[in-house]
Amino acid sequence: MIPLALDPKNSQLVLIGAGPGALRRLRALHQAGATGLLVFSPDADAGLAQAAGAHLRHRLPDTADLQNLHLVWVVGLPTDTAAKIAAMARSMGALVNVEDVPALCDFHSVAEIRRGDLLLSISTNGAAPGLAASIRRRLERCFSPQWAARVAEIAALRRGWQTEGVTMAQAAQRIDAMVAEHGWLPCPAAEELSSNQADIP
């Protein structure tokens, strides 16, 4: 696996699918900043239609729709239909994720925690998504919403240090000292996590 943080503003993305899974994936992509991606769904329910808005196409895509794409998500379609779409998209140069079908995936979506500019991601390479979700739920208790403000505070300090000529190594030392002084780590739930390790499948 090669972990990357992708800026959706510079990528062409498409979601193809139906049902609760497609809506969940669309909301996650919107949260990541991919607000303008097209959604193809011949059987979109009210929730998906509302979330997609004017970007919804009430059909499956054809080859013209899949030109010049970077990433394609396929969710909630019959496996044979998903396989045909994945092959067509891949032949056009796109990378494809077919949810819950690792053999049809070029990449895997990760379990994630967002706290402002802080992004924590957990992946099992598609082998055990339930385990990734379990780890995410535990980490969410360690990294509360307060971390958004903490990252913003560090970012502001770093900009000032850059103008002062502080090196990256010196900045890292200052950040380590600040984290230790405020007791941000280890997380308050560390003992609970340790006691619950036996619960993780």
Side-chain angles (χ1 to χ4, degrees):
M1 292 185 291
I2 302 176
L4 299 172
L6 182 72
D7 187 346
K9 295 193 298 293
N10 300 318
S11 303
Q12 297 298 319
L13 316 176
V14 159
L15 172 64
I16 305 163
L23 178 57
R24 182 180 65 252
R25 177 56 52 198
L26 180 58
R27 286 173 172 167
L29 290 170
H30 282 174
Q31 189 177 21
T35 56
L37 79 164
L38 288 179
V39 178
F40 290 88
S41 180
D43 301 309
D45 58 21
L48 182 60
Q50 181 178 10
H55 300 288
L56 177 64
R57 303 294 182 266
H58 292 274
R59 57 181 176 83
L60 293 177
D62 56 27
T63 54
D65 297 315
L66 298 177
Q67 290 181 355
N68 303 317
L69 295 179
H70 297 116
L71 298 176
V72 175
W73 282 264
V74 183
V75 185
L77 296 180
T79 302
D80 57 344
T81 302
K84 292 176 182 177
I85 293 172
M88 183 167 57
R90 196 172 287 115
S91 71
M92 305 296 289
L95 298 177
V96 181
N97 174 275
V98 179
E99 185 169 285
D100 209 26
V101 188
L104 295 178
C105 293
D106 300 310
F107 68 95
H108 300 284
S109 295
V110 300
E112 61 187 44
I113 301 167
R114 293 183 181 274
R115 302 293 187 245
D117 285 329
L118 176 64
L119 172 63
L120 305 177
S121 62
I122 307 101
S123 174
T124 59
N125 198 25
L131 175 59
S134 178
I135 294 170
R136 182 201 67 218
R137 288 191 294 271
R138 286 160 171 76
L139 287 177
E140 282 176 335
R141 296 198 292 269
C142 295
F143 292 87
S144 68
Q146 291 177 316
W147 275 90
R150 292 171 181 173
V151 172
E153 181 180 358
I154 293 292
L157 288 171
R158 184 172 176 271
R159 289 191 293 272
W161 295 337
Q162 287 176 324
T163 62
E164 298 170 10
V166 174
T167 66
M168 291 183 63
Q170 291 171 330
Q173 290 176 345
R174 292 185 183 186
I175 293 169
D176 282 344
M178 185 175 178
V179 169
E181 178 184 355
H182 291 292
W184 291 347
L185 292 174
C187 73
E191 293 182 0
E192 179 185 352
L193 293 178
S194 178
S195 66
N196 287 339
Q197 282 181 345
D199 298 333
I200 300 178

